Amino acid sequence: MKFFVDTADIDAIAELNETGMVDGVTTNPSLILKSGRDILEVTREICAMVDGPVSAEVVATEADAMISEGRKLAEIAENIAVKVPLTWAGLKTCKTLTSEGKMVNVTLCFSANQALLAAKAGATFISPFVGRLDDVNIDGMDLIGEIRTIYDNFNFQTEILVASIRTVNHVTQSALIGADVITAPPNVLKKLADHPLTENGLAAFMADWAKTGQKIL
Ligand code: E4P
């Protein structure tokens, strides 16, 4: 399973990148706002830091304008995945841009039927938002299971990119279901390494090591 970082914060990406865990990056207009940076500039920097796909989102709502924006974003670097919303205009844009050989991430997916449409439009990635479904009392992970089944039934190659991840449990569940990719904010990715027994065990080892009076270096 691939790990994408859901942020436009260059420092956070650089820190996680050192672990070799970053297979890609996702951004959206809200994350660009949070970064306080110019979209073209910051996206170019991210693309230079990370080898894998970097999602940059269009903001037009009509297909023709979306296609033009997508082409402009795709010019930033080879590893751009143009992010389009799951609307008919977004699906048309997806079809056009993937036919041109560009990667497309169809975002704001909240149902299995929407995911089916994205796959039929040739999407490289489908981004179902699990956290936002949980927020309205619908189990987001159930949707991931449904999409996995549907894509496997018809051998669709579109990768399931689990988005709007809020907890480490979302990551575990995504892996168990067989999602292709998760995108999570840096704080959630960092929490994946945490376990109280690891902390306690390390503290005990350190205490015993100090009593030996030895040094390795
Ligand atoms: C991913 O592509 C989305 O931009 C992101 O995961 C949305 O997360 P949120 O629901 O926490 O804003």
Side-chain angles (χ1 to χ4, degrees):
M1 186 171 66
K2 287 176 262 189
F3 281 6
F4 289 0
V5 196
D6 198 27
T7 186
D9 180 333
I10 291 282
D11 293 339
I13 297 167
E15 188 188 347
L16 282 163
N17 215 11
E18 283 173 11
T19 66
M21 295 284 173
V22 179
D23 300 306
V25 173
T26 51
T27 66
N28 63 36
S30 304
L31 292 172
I32 295 294
L33 173 69
K34 201 171 161 192
S35 76
R37 300 280 313 274
D38 172 81
I39 182 171
L40 299 179
E41 236 177 64
V42 74
T43 307
R44 191 170 295 112
E45 279 178 41
I46 296 170
C47 287
M49 293 165 72
V50 176
D51 291 333
V54 174
S55 290
E57 189 160 344
V58 300
V59 290
T61 52
E62 301 302 324
D64 287 350
M66 267 190 202
I67 292 166
S68 301
E69 286 184 354
R71 286 178 180 145
K72 181 163 182 181
L73 291 171
E75 275 172 13
I76 294 173
E78 290 272 308
N79 54 336
I80 283 286
V82 178
K83 211 173 180 190
V84 301
L86 212 152
T87 58
W88 285 112
L91 293 168
K92 184 176 172 191
T93 303
C94 175
K95 187 79 202 159
T96 304
L97 296 181
T98 52
S99 307
E100 294 172 3
K102 298 171 176 56
M103 289 188 283
V104 175
N105 175 358
V106 180
T107 190
L108 290 167
C109 170
F110 294 96
S111 78
N113 284 337
Q114 288 181 320
L116 186 52
L117 290 175
K120 287 180 70 64
T124 318
F125 302 103
I126 180 68
S127 288
F129 278 34
V130 293
R132 293 193 195 186
L133 281 169
D134 289 353
D135 288 346
V136 294
N137 211 20
I138 295 170
D139 190 337
M141 297 316 302
D142 286 350
L143 174 60
I144 305 306
E146 287 175 7
I147 300 173
R148 181 74 282 158
T149 301
I150 290 168
Y151 281 11
D152 289 349
N153 282 348
F154 300 100
N155 201 22
F156 284 123
Q157 297 306 300
T158 300
E159 294 190 36
I160 304 172
L161 196 175
V162 183
S164 187
I165 282 193
R166 307 267 171 82
T167 68
V168 290
N169 271 347
H170 281 147
V171 178
T172 313
Q173 292 303 316
S174 300
L176 286 169
I177 291 168
D180 302 284
V181 193
I182 56 101
T183 188
N187 66 315
V188 174
L189 286 176
K190 282 190 189 166
K191 274 192 204 142
L192 292 175
D194 294 349
H195 198 288
L197 292 179
T198 305
E199 278 170 40
N200 293 348
L202 186 59
F205 285 156
M206 291 304 99
D208 286 344
W209 179 249
K211 289 177 202 157
T212 69
Q214 298 180 42
K215 280 191 165 62
I216 293 177
L217 290 176

